[in-house]
Amino acid sequence: MHPQTSSAPPLQNLLRTTITMLEKTAAPIKGISRAGSFLLVVLVMLTFLDVFLRYFLGQPIAGSMELTGLGMSMIFFSGLAWAQLNNAHISMDVIVAKCSPAAQDRMACITWTWSFSILAFGVFTMARYALAMTSLTPVWHIPYTPFVLFGAFGLALLDLAVLRQLLERMLAILEKQGGATLAATLLFALLTTLLAIWFGTHKLPGMSTIALGCTGLVLMMALFLTGMPVAYVLLSIGFLFIANIRGLNAAFDLMGRTCFNSVSGYSWSPLMFFLLMGYICFYSRFGEDLYRAARTWMGHWRGGLATGSVCACTAFGAVVGDTLAGSIAMSAIALPEMRRSGYKDSLSVGTLACSGTIGALIPPSTTMIIYGVLAEQSIGDLFIAGVIPGFICMFCFIAVIAVRTRLDPQLAPPAPRASAEERHASLRTALPIILIFCVVIGGIYAGVFTATEGGGIGCATCLLLALALRRLTLKNFLTALDSSARFISMCFALILAGDLFGFFMTMSRIPMVFANSVAGLDMPPMVILWVIIFSLCFLGCFIPSLPLVLICIPIFLPLAKNFGWDLVWFGVVMTLVKNMAGITPPFGINLFVLKGVADVPLDVMYKAALPFVLSLFACIAIIVAFPQLSLLLPSLMG
């Protein structure tokens, strides 16, 4: 709270009063987000019921896909502001974090001004798009207009949340640095905003679309380094450069359409469902069961707890399909146990941070879903293609642990051997999560339901098991909903912004020109592939892993098609490289998450991860050298 003081200057009192008023919106914003989360549970059950009725009675629910798409849009827009209030949107603040608190306040004031401006344009474009719409859904004939208007409302709530954070920074600058500093900061923010608007409405003479595309990429990287949220950067660059190339009206139309269509596409539904399933698994303590089983069977080995953590992360990833979920779940469970057993942080935190990435390979995989939609490839084929590479990655990580503990036994002393009874009991407790995996993967490849529907089936199975086993309290269930709402909004905001940025890249012709230029080089295709891999590894040092996929896949995909590479195999390679981005200093997001959980210095985190980064690179080399390791299972399933 910011109580007014009569002795304070009028501007400070005004800012405090406004901030206090905006703080009162936090409760309704949370309520709207939670309502959206309950709607997600309804969509999960709708998918479950649709599959059940179709498979057993031959009577599917008419229009279930369009109902799911409309519901997805409401879920996303209902959670955006709540994600903002919880600082869930990804930003590259590595450089800004090293600045003084005063400089951080000034930079945040500038970037929040820019963010507020682009979101205000988003509200306008969605309202404009909604009022111009007359179409209805094909089965239920539901008008789209109310749902697009709700999207505009959700963006408006998000803009209010950004405004609150902007005013808080302004107040901090005013109180600590004075009115002159605040005026200069705001003047710079407003002038640069006006310059951006001028650029969007005035074509630059003699500048080709290729030059505009390169300028946009450079400006994107520069804005990343300011700490501005990645989704807002992509949205800003996409909108401004599309406006410059095609005109302001075209940019408004495309932005409004993209803001709605990108988050209401049924093909994205498994991503939303699997994210919710991951949090339900976490709060139902299914991850604890996996770790307990791994610990009892392997804990007496040298480095056995670390090896067990790798295996548990692999198994947990086979259910939730997300890199961070596995790392967070296993860290909360395994790290205290390893520390009690005398394990050094230089091994344990690296093991936990990096092992979570295996979840992006073992099906189901959220990364594979994103790639499958972008590349228009079968998600089922991609899922099964990741199995063998996932186990290779697991064995590479175990090899790192074995080598390090042999060279330095003090890193990981062996734990007491568990009895046979304890081992068998641990396997029984791990049965629920094994059942979830069998239902999802078995159902997909038995033809009971599609890979797209698999997310809903898996989430419903997980929820029903958690309730039947009394593993999920009401409090934990609500916490799982709130956590999933934040992560879903962050993830889909990046997808939405990445789509708009992708349209700009297409208009600039950079992907096509790049693909044709590289294809014309007198170089073997494998050399080109390694150039792509090294480029992505380098970019992954600075760009978060999910934006890296959304930005780079549309650029490199035409090249893969030109060389005739199998796009399923290429998807596995890109997933491995994306995994490396998640654990590569300085911006590997898994490293930052584990740093917070483990409370260790960042340099310790970096050193602990380095052997696993090298191991993952070796895994990439194996998959590149032997493509059939990825393609064997899809060919057998086909």
Side-chain angles (χ1 to χ4, degrees):
M1 297 295 291
H2 303 274
Q4 295 189 40
T5 57
S6 57
S7 59
L11 181 56
Q12 288 189 25
N13 283 333
L14 177 62
L15 287 173
R16 288 195 186 99
T17 302
T18 308
I19 292 170
T20 301
M21 291 174 60
L22 290 174
E23 284 175 342
K24 294 178 181 178
T25 63
I29 283 174
K30 182 179 181 179
I32 292 170
S33 175
R34 184 165 288 178
S37 299
F38 277 109
L39 178 58
L40 177 56
V41 177
V42 172
L43 294 186
V44 165
M45 292 306 171
L46 174 66
T47 302
F48 185 86
L49 184 61
D50 182 43
V51 170
F52 180 85
L53 292 176
R54 184 183 68 231
Y55 186 75
F56 289 102
L57 302 178
Q59 295 291 330
I61 299 174
S64 61
M65 292 172 60
E66 67 183 43
L67 292 174
T68 299
L70 293 175
M72 287 169 59
S73 70
M74 296 187 69
I75 292 163
F76 167 71
F77 287 110
S78 66
L80 267 177
W82 178 239
Q84 180 66 43
L85 292 179
N86 286 273
N87 298 312
H89 293 291
I90 291 178
S91 61
M92 290 176 56
D93 58 354
V94 177
I95 294 178
V96 175
K98 297 183 181 297
C99 298
S100 66
Q104 289 182 30
D105 284 336
R106 293 194 297 271
M107 183 57 71
C109 183
I110 294 168
T111 55
W112 287 136
T113 301
W114 295 339
S115 301
F116 177 82
S117 302
I118 188 61
L119 291 173
F121 275 108
V123 174
F124 172 76
T125 56
M126 285 209 73
R128 182 175 183 262
Y129 179 60
L131 297 176
M133 288 191 74
T134 57
S135 54
L136 307 174
T137 61
V139 177
W140 288 93
H141 305 296
I142 301 170
Y144 285 104
T145 298
F147 296 91
V148 183
L149 284 175
F150 182 81
F153 171 70
L155 279 181
L157 288 179
L158 172 61
D159 218 13
L160 282 178
V162 170
L163 177 61
R164 170 183 158 184
Q165 293 174 318
L166 169 60
L167 295 179
E168 288 172 345
R169 294 290 186 164
M170 289 172 57
L171 181 61
I173 294 172
L174 186 61
E175 292 178 339
K176 299 173 184 176
Q177 303 177 56
T181 302
L182 176 60
T185 303
L186 288 177
L187 181 63
F188 177 82
L190 293 174
L191 286 178
T192 49
T193 302
L194 291 174
L195 178 63
I197 294 172
W198 179 88
F199 171 80
T201 54
H202 293 77
K203 291 185 178 296
L204 301 181
M207 199 167 189
S208 67
T209 56
I210 295 293
L212 280 171
C214 293
T215 303
L217 288 172
V218 171
L219 184 58
M220 176 194 73
M221 288 301 301
L223 289 177
F224 281 167
L225 297 178
T226 65
M228 185 175 176
V230 171
Y232 305 162
V233 171
L234 296 177
L235 204 62
S236 303
I237 297 296
F239 175 76
L240 288 175
F241 280 81
I242 290 171
N244 185 277
I245 296 171
R246 292 289 178 87
L248 194 59
N249 281 332
F252 279 141
D253 291 340
L254 189 55
M255 187 178 186
R257 186 164 65 250
T258 303
C259 282
F260 180 74
N261 292 346
S262 294
V263 298
S264 61
Y266 180 73
S267 56
W268 289 116
S269 62
L271 180 60
M272 195 173 281
F273 292 151
F274 281 129
L275 288 173
L276 175 60
M277 184 173 73
Y279 281 104
I280 291 175
C281 276
F282 176 72
Y283 286 105
S284 300
R285 307 187 313 282
F286 287 139
E288 293 180 22
D289 298 335
L290 280 174
Y291 179 71
R292 190 180 300 112
R295 182 193 63 193
T296 55
W297 284 87
M298 304 175 189
H300 60 283
W301 301 350
R302 184 188 292 117
L305 293 181
T307 300
S309 296
V310 174
C311 295
C313 279
T314 303
F316 196 65
V319 176
V320 301
D322 177 60
T323 60
L324 277 180
S327 291
I328 293 170
M330 289 302 113
S331 298
I333 301 161
L335 187 59
E337 183 75 19
M338 285 196 274
R339 283 176 169 170
R340 280 194 297 269
S341 298
Y343 277 53
K344 300 291 179 62
D345 283 345
S346 56
L347 174 68
S348 56
V349 296
T351 300
L352 294 168
C354 300
S355 297
T357 61
I358 302 174
L361 287 164
I362 303 293
S365 163
T366 54
T367 305
M368 295 291 194
I369 294 169
I370 293 171
Y371 175 84
V373 174
L374 294 176
E376 298 179 345
Q377 295 298 300
S378 165
I379 294 175
D381 286 348
L382 287 165
F383 276 1
I384 202 68
V387 171
I388 294 176
F391 282 110
I392 291 174
C393 186
M394 181 186 77
F395 289 125
C396 285
F397 285 179
I398 291 174
V400 168
I401 296 168
V403 171
R404 293 193 66 193
T405 54
R406 180 164 293 277
L407 294 175
D408 184 4
Q410 298 303 313
L411 282 175
R417 181 187 293 270
S419 66
E421 184 179 347
E422 288 175 320
R423 293 185 186 185
H424 296 147
S426 70
L427 290 180
R428 288 194 296 271
T429 59
L431 284 177
I433 205 162
I434 296 172
L435 177 61
I436 295 170
F437 175 80
C438 292
V439 167
V440 174
I441 303 304
I444 290 173
Y445 295 105
V448 178
F449 46 81
T450 66
T452 307
E453 294 168 331
I457 299 299
C459 190
T461 303
C462 181
L463 181 58
L464 292 173
L465 272 176
L467 293 174
L469 297 173
R470 298 182 179 180
R471 301 289 294 271
L472 192 63
T473 64
L474 178 60
K475 180 182 178 181
N476 283 346
F477 177 63
L478 295 177
T479 304
L481 291 183
D482 292 340
S483 299
S484 62
R486 292 196 300 270
F487 200 82
I488 286 169
S489 294
M490 177 276 289
C491 188
F492 276 77
L494 286 170
I495 290 172
L496 180 159
D499 273 358
L500 191 66
F501 183 82
F503 282 121
F504 157 54
M505 282 285 98
T506 302
M507 292 177 189
S508 73
R509 298 176 51 248
I510 282 182
M512 289 71 74
V513 172
F514 175 78
N516 292 333
S517 299
V518 173
L521 295 175
D522 187 18
M523 298 173 67
M526 281 297 103
V527 174
I528 301 298
L529 178 61
W530 279 108
V531 170
I532 292 174
I533 291 171
F534 280 119
S535 300
L536 288 171
C537 289
F538 173 75
L539 291 173
C541 295
F542 308 100
I543 301 177
S545 53
L546 182 55
L548 184 70
V549 171
L550 294 168
I551 294 168
C552 293
I553 291 301
I555 295 176
F556 292 128
L557 200 59
L559 191 60
K561 292 177 180 177
N562 279 359
F563 281 113
W565 293 332
D566 188 287
L567 294 185
V568 171
W569 166 74
F570 187 68
V572 173
V573 174
M574 291 299 99
T575 301
L576 282 163
V577 178
K578 178 257 184 186
N579 288 354
M580 186 172 288
I583 60 175
T584 304
F587 195 77
I589 189 168
N590 286 45
L591 305 185
F592 281 92
V593 170
L594 260 293
K595 176 188 178 298
V597 173
D599 192 23
V600 295
L602 199 56
D603 62 323
V604 172
M605 198 73 248
Y606 288 162
K607 291 176 183 177
L610 183 59
F612 295 97
V613 172
L614 297 176
S615 176
L616 186 54
F617 194 82
C619 183
I620 294 174
I622 293 171
I623 301 304
V624 169
F626 304 101
Q628 280 305 314
L629 291 171
S630 301
L631 301 177
L632 176 62
L633 292 181
S635 65
L636 294 177
M637 299 303 297

